[in-house]
Amino acid sequence: MKKTIIFGMATALLAISSCSTVPLTGRSRLSLVDDSQLQQQAAIGYSQLLSDPSTKVVAASNANAAMVKRVGQKIAAAVTQYMNQNGYGDQIKDYKWEYNLIDSKEINAWCMPGGKIAVYTGILPVTKDEAGLATVMGHEVAHAIAQHSAERASQMTVAQGVGAAVGVASANSKYANYINAAYGIGGQLTILSYGRNQELEADKMGLSFMAMAGYNPNNAIGFWQRMAQASSGSQKPPAFLSTHPSDQSRIAQIQKALPEAMKYYKGK
């Protein structure tokens, strides 16, 4: 019993001392896992996914694929500028942004640590236009910038009773398994289960990122309303919504965050 108490106290102290700050929101996050390690594994996993014969990558010459790249580049440029100007440049210095459109009925999109982005054609009827796509990509890039994957891995590490001193930072095989499971590489897609607070944080950050990139964040409301309609009446929600907050809660939080996001918007 005494050993258990001591170990629990040590784990709690380790968690308290291993924190960093999320850009834009200023929230303190648990950082037992080095995001750079996840970035390395993500690059490998992303390459494997794109080269898999079952993955149908849409040709770059396709209009929708070109739109995905265009929106992605605008958001990446805006985010990079923000991070460099606000003391977070080191966090993205090794980012190698990639943007690919994958032919799939899945209503989904994601951004891996390190800026590896995939958008599925199934979500395009819901995004409808560039502003809708910017809403989605801004949200997913926000997950990467907030290091939500590393935070979730850190939370799992604490839950398993393993501290940083046990060699988490060098457990590349563990990271590979985590990345593969989170993004469905080598098997059926399994969505990374972010917490609701992380999802709402990604919404808020995503609004500002799309605004920085030149897209009016007010358009996010329309996208989420269309997403709500896409999921209504179905037994299983779209993959993009599998772990997300309720539609009403999300839209209400977005409306509250819009004034702050609009400060970054320099529309024509």
Side-chain angles (χ1 to χ4, degrees):
M1 175 67 79
K2 184 178 293 186
K3 289 183 178 180
T4 302
I5 293 174
I6 293 174
F7 180 77
M9 291 175 64
T11 302
L13 288 172
L14 178 63
I16 292 171
S17 62
S18 303
C19 293
S20 58
T21 302
V22 177
L24 271 178
T25 67
R27 180 179 65 85
S28 180
R29 66 184 167 215
L30 182 63
S31 300
L32 294 176
V33 172
D34 186 354
D35 191 67
S36 64
Q37 295 290 325
L38 288 180
Q39 291 180 32
Q40 293 174 22
Q41 292 301 325
I44 295 171
Y46 192 72
S47 179
Q48 291 175 343
L49 176 66
L50 297 183
S51 62
D52 191 306
S54 65
T55 303
K56 300 177 182 177
V57 180
V58 178
S61 58
N62 176 275
N64 285 330
M67 178 174 64
V68 166
K69 185 174 182 179
R70 181 169 61 252
V71 174
Q73 287 177 330
K74 287 183 179 181
I75 291 176
V79 167
T80 299
Q81 182 179 34
Y82 173 84
M83 296 289 280
N84 287 336
Q85 290 179 347
N86 290 274
Y88 295 104
D90 284 348
Q91 294 184 19
I92 60 168
K93 60 183 176 62
D94 294 323
Y95 267 46
K96 293 180 175 58
W97 298 91
E98 290 188 54
Y99 329 88
N100 280 283
L101 179 63
I102 295 176
D103 186 10
S104 171
K105 294 181 180 180
E106 197 97 46
I107 300 178
N108 197 24
W110 41 260
C111 178
M112 287 179 165
K116 307 300 184 183
I117 297 172
V119 176
Y120 292 71
T121 55
I123 204 170
L124 295 182
V126 187
T127 58
K128 194 175 180 180
D129 52 27
E130 276 202 32
L133 182 60
T135 301
V136 170
M137 296 182 75
H139 171 94
E140 293 305 320
V141 166
H143 277 307
I145 295 301
Q147 298 184 9
H148 285 160
S149 292
E151 185 175 34
R152 291 294 283 173
S154 297
Q155 291 166 348
M156 291 167 60
T157 297
V158 171
Q160 293 167 0
V162 182
V166 185
V168 176
S170 62
N172 287 334
S173 61
K174 181 177 181 180
Y175 287 154
N177 292 336
Y178 182 81
I179 288 292
N180 291 345
Y183 297 96
I185 298 168
Q188 186 176 1
L189 185 66
T190 305
I191 304 302
L192 180 62
S193 180
Y194 294 119
R196 287 194 175 188
N197 288 337
Q198 289 175 324
E199 289 295 343
L200 292 173
E201 184 172 59
D203 282 346
K204 183 176 182 179
M205 293 173 66
L207 291 175
S208 293
F209 289 159
M210 69 182 289
M212 293 175 192
Y215 296 100
N216 190 331
N218 283 291
N219 287 291
I221 298 295
F223 166 75
W224 287 112
Q225 289 173 338
R226 293 192 297 274
M227 182 60 76
Q229 292 175 353
S231 61
S232 63
S234 60
Q235 293 183 342
K236 184 180 180 181
F240 192 70
L241 291 177
S242 62
T243 60
H244 289 211
S246 69
D247 300 321
Q248 297 83 357
S249 174
R250 157 163 277 126
I251 291 173
Q253 291 298 319
I254 286 174
Q255 288 173 330
K256 289 181 180 179
L258 278 173
E260 179 65 26
M262 286 298 292
K263 294 177 182 178
Y264 297 101
Y265 179 58
K266 299 177 181 179
K268 296 180 181 180

